[in-house]
Amino acid sequence: MADPPLHTTRVKLLTVIAEAVLEDRLIRDVKRLGARGFTRSAVTGEGSRGRRVGDVEGANVRLECLVSEEVAERILAELSASYFEHYAAVAFVEDVSVVRGEKYI
Amino acid sequence: MELLQTNLLTPVVLAFVLGAIAARVGSDLRLPDPIYATLSIYLVFAIGLKGGASLSQSSLSEVALPGVAALLLGCATPVWCYALLRRTADLSREDAAALAAHYGSISIVTFMAGIAYLDSIQVEYEGFVPAFAAMLEVPGIAVALFLARRGSGKSSREGLIETLTGRSIVLLTGGLVIGLLSGPEGVEKVSAFFIDPFQGVLALFLLEMGRVASSRLGDLRQSGAVLMAFAIIGPAFHGLLGVALGWLTGLSEGGSFALGILSASASYIAAPAAVRLSLPEANPSVYLTPVLAVTFPFNLTLGIPLFHTFARWFHG
């Protein structure tokens, strides 16, 4: 007998990559604006503000959260207002499907 | 000249040079980030322990006067740096304050290299001098952030909290307290790990610093002559002042030198983090390039023998 099909929900995967110095502030912001969890990782890379590879030169932090479309938009608006002008920061949103969608939205 | 040679031909300074050369020739040599972080924890904690143990043997009257002098110097340095840079270097308020924070604060690694130099030429110094590092690190940043933000209504609180809870201050003051409480006998038990290998670990750490400093050299052209001059004359003056204050407040030749190199050094870990959080308008390459590519190598190679020469003058 075949398993019943898995019930999945469409949510947004919001990814923020920014200067590591902003880590605490970003975590506070995404939680305040409605994210119910996040995954953080230390990453390195290069962009329009130069190479960011280490402690002195500046490392990056990558935050990923599964959120509703509304929360994703709220977070993007906050990032635009507070960080994009002066800090090295990138953010993007993707559509993803998850099981147990109620955990995230 | 002899002092210069003694300083340059130590493993610690030569490791820095090797790191710089390796980066110039495009070598893949670099310390992995977690190792770099571990070594910096080791170094700061070790110097704190050693200073604390020596502090437990010192009387308050010995420490108080040079301590107050260090504190005053920490508060005053950013004020004149800021005023001078605003007038001469055509910098924005934020950029000038950012530089003032870096030059007002200290580099514990530069200080360690100075102490390693004293050890190598067997000049005695007051072992409690690392306590002054803890006193000098914070006021410089606090005063500079205040200068940038006065009248603007914006807060620098987050940057200050970041400095006070940053790993260098927590480890240094924590190490000092642990050293103070456990005394020389207690620290003796961990000396095989924390004291004896210290210079070797410092050499390894400076290998990485050489790489970082030399990778900044390319940005020097954008910095301009005034900033470059400031990055050498500023620390030389601060070093002279530190040595003089050490002498005035009763420190020995070695102790005055140590306060001198501490005053001359410019922060590249605590200050950049605090400034980035509190003064985002300031341009990081304006403040990091002079500190890393000019002042740090200057202090390490020429500053150390220069300040020792100053200390010898003052002490006859």
Side-chain angles (χ1 to χ4, degrees):
Chain A
M1 203 174 71
D3 290 332
L6 268 179
H7 176 67
T8 59
T9 314
R10 302 284 278 176
V11 296
K12 300 287 181 189
L13 168 61
L14 169 74
T15 306
V16 186
I17 302 168
E19 297 180 30
V21 71
L22 294 176
E23 180 174 330
D24 291 347
R25 223 188 258 187
L26 287 171
I27 289 174
R28 213 162 42 208
D29 285 344
V30 298
K31 282 169 126 177
R32 176 173 53 84
L33 295 169
R36 293 167 73 176
F38 63 87
T39 299
R40 76 160 285 284
S41 34
V43 291
T44 63
E46 186 172 334
S48 59
R49 289 181 194 255
R51 272 181 93 193
R52 310 194 48 80
V53 288
D55 197 18
V56 180
E57 293 151 313
N60 282 333
V61 61
R62 178 187 177 114
L63 285 186
E64 289 159 297
C65 335
L66 292 167
V67 291
S68 67
E69 185 166 5
E70 190 205 341
V71 170
E73 276 169 15
R74 264 205 309 257
I75 295 175
L76 285 178
E78 172 68 27
L79 294 174
S80 307
S82 304
Y83 304 109
F84 287 164
E85 188 184 355
H86 295 300
Y87 293 104
V90 206
F92 48 87
V93 179
E94 294 157 274
D95 288 315
V96 291
S97 302
V98 294
V99 285
R100 302 177 301 167
E102 69 285 356
K103 270 172 65 86
Y104 310 105
I105 53 179
Chain B
M1 218 46 217
E2 189 198 332
L3 297 181
L4 181 67
Q5 198 184 353
T6 317
N7 181 50
L8 288 182
L9 300 182
T10 54
V12 167
V13 175
L14 290 173
F16 178 81
V17 175
L18 175 61
I21 294 173
R24 290 317 287 172
V25 300
S27 163
D28 61 350
L29 171 72
R30 64 167 295 160
L31 285 189
D33 281 347
I35 307 272
Y36 171 89
T38 310
L39 294 189
S40 76
I41 288 172
Y42 171 90
L43 289 170
V44 178
F45 191 59
I47 198 124
L49 275 181
K50 204 172 159 199
S54 149
L55 205 54
S56 73
Q57 304 290 91
S58 320
S59 68
L60 187 63
S61 58
E62 255 180 296
V63 186
L65 215 51
V68 171
L71 203 60
L72 288 178
L73 197 59
C75 297
T77 309
V79 177
W80 65 66
C81 286
Y82 179 79
L84 186 74
L85 287 164
R86 284 286 276 167
R87 277 185 188 81
T88 59
D90 194 28
L91 292 178
S92 70
R93 196 165 162 158
E94 287 81 10
D95 283 339
L99 272 161
H102 286 71
Y103 283 89
S105 185
I106 55 117
S107 149
I108 192 80
V109 173
T110 309
F111 172 71
M112 288 168 187
I115 294 297
Y117 163 82
L118 286 184
D119 287 342
S120 71
I121 55 169
Q122 288 162 348
V123 169
E124 296 282 316
Y125 61 96
E126 289 79 356
F128 52 75
V129 188
F132 303 153
M135 293 164 111
L136 270 167
E137 188 161 17
V138 182
I141 297 174
V143 170
L145 293 184
F146 170 77
L147 286 173
R149 284 296 179 231
R150 89 206 120 103
S152 74
K154 291 186 202 157
S155 158
S156 315
R157 214 176 125 250
E158 197 177 1
L160 279 181
I161 291 175
E162 168 84 16
T163 312
L164 284 170
T165 58
R167 67 165 184 245
S168 57
I169 273 291
V170 169
L171 275 168
L172 185 57
T173 41
L176 280 166
V177 171
I178 294 174
L180 186 64
L181 294 177
S182 48
E185 310 79 42
V187 171
E188 177 63 36
K189 292 192 189 104
V190 290
S191 72
F193 183 74
F194 278 114
I195 313 288
D196 303 339
F198 185 84
Q199 291 216 21
V201 176
L202 184 61
L204 207 52
F205 190 84
L206 281 172
L207 195 63
E208 176 70 4
M209 285 310 299
R211 188 192 66 77
V212 171
S214 111
S215 66
R216 285 262 156 196
L217 283 175
D219 298 333
L220 274 183
R221 256 168 282 129
Q222 298 160 14
S223 297
V226 177
L227 267 190
M228 291 307 97
F230 174 80
I232 290 178
I233 298 168
F237 174 65
H238 297 155
L240 176 62
L241 218 56
V243 170
L245 280 174
W247 172 71
L248 273 175
T249 54
L251 292 180
S252 66
E253 177 188 317
S256 307
F257 160 82
L259 187 57
I261 188 79
L262 203 51
S263 315
S265 70
S267 168
Y268 60 83
I269 293 177
V275 163
R276 201 72 195 108
L277 281 172
S278 293
L279 300 175
E281 304 90 340
N283 178 356
S285 69
V286 166
Y287 51 80
L288 277 179
T289 304
V291 170
L292 281 170
V294 183
T295 302
F296 187 76
F298 166 77
N299 277 332
L300 197 61
T301 53
L302 305 176
I304 288 175
L306 180 68
F307 304 139
H308 188 205
T309 310
F310 289 160
R312 279 189 170 174
W313 283 346
F314 279 105
H315 289 268

